[in-house]
Amino acid sequence: MVMFLFLVVALAVVVAAVTLAVVGGGDSTPLPEAAPERLQDFLPPDRPVGRADVENLRFPLTVRGYRMADVDDALGRLGAELAERDARIADLESALAGARSAARHVSMEKPEQREEEK
């Protein structure tokens, strides 16, 4: 009989605990939506990207690795910077080649003084 009373009391305690957990004994407002972790140190928008900027770039981790949007944005920006630099290098090399070919055609000798000026 004592064992039966012990089981009834234990069952009542378990049912009361489960009921309180399900119904809730406190604030009934839902939890606020957590803001997703975003990239804080992004590449500088006001100047060209330097080596230190790329070395200091860190992406926030997510459940399956990195946020694809952050990585895609960074790679897109780096690709645009590299394309711009390649175009600038090509322009400078063509200008240098033009200057060298023009220098070959210009005589480096002093013009002879005219006899009239003497």
Side-chain angles (χ1 to χ4, degrees):
M1 176 82 167
V2 175
M3 185 61 120
F4 178 72
L5 275 172
F6 176 74
L7 287 176
V8 169
V9 170
L11 183 62
V13 169
V14 169
V15 168
V18 169
T19 302
L20 283 175
V22 170
V23 174
D27 192 14
S28 63
T29 60
L31 292 174
E33 190 70 29
E37 186 179 353
R38 296 293 298 175
L39 184 62
Q40 297 298 322
D41 266 352
F42 203 64
L43 299 173
D46 56 340
R47 62 178 173 81
V49 176
R51 179 179 178 160
D53 297 322
V54 175
E55 288 175 353
N56 292 331
L57 184 63
R58 297 291 177 260
F59 296 104
L61 293 174
T62 61
V63 177
R64 299 182 71 196
Y66 298 104
R67 292 180 56 88
M68 287 192 297
D70 290 341
V71 175
D72 289 344
D73 290 344
L75 289 176
R77 172 73 191 276
L78 290 173
E81 291 269 342
L82 289 174
E84 184 178 320
R85 288 180 186 179
D86 288 346
R88 179 74 175 140
I89 289 170
D91 288 344
L92 292 173
E93 286 178 346
S94 67
L96 180 62
R100 284 182 178 165
S101 67
R104 288 184 190 140
H105 296 305
V106 174
S107 175
M108 299 302 282
E109 299 174 5
K110 290 184 179 181
E112 295 181 20
Q113 292 181 350
R114 296 182 187 172
E115 293 180 14
E116 300 170 3
E117 293 178 358
K118 289 186 179 180

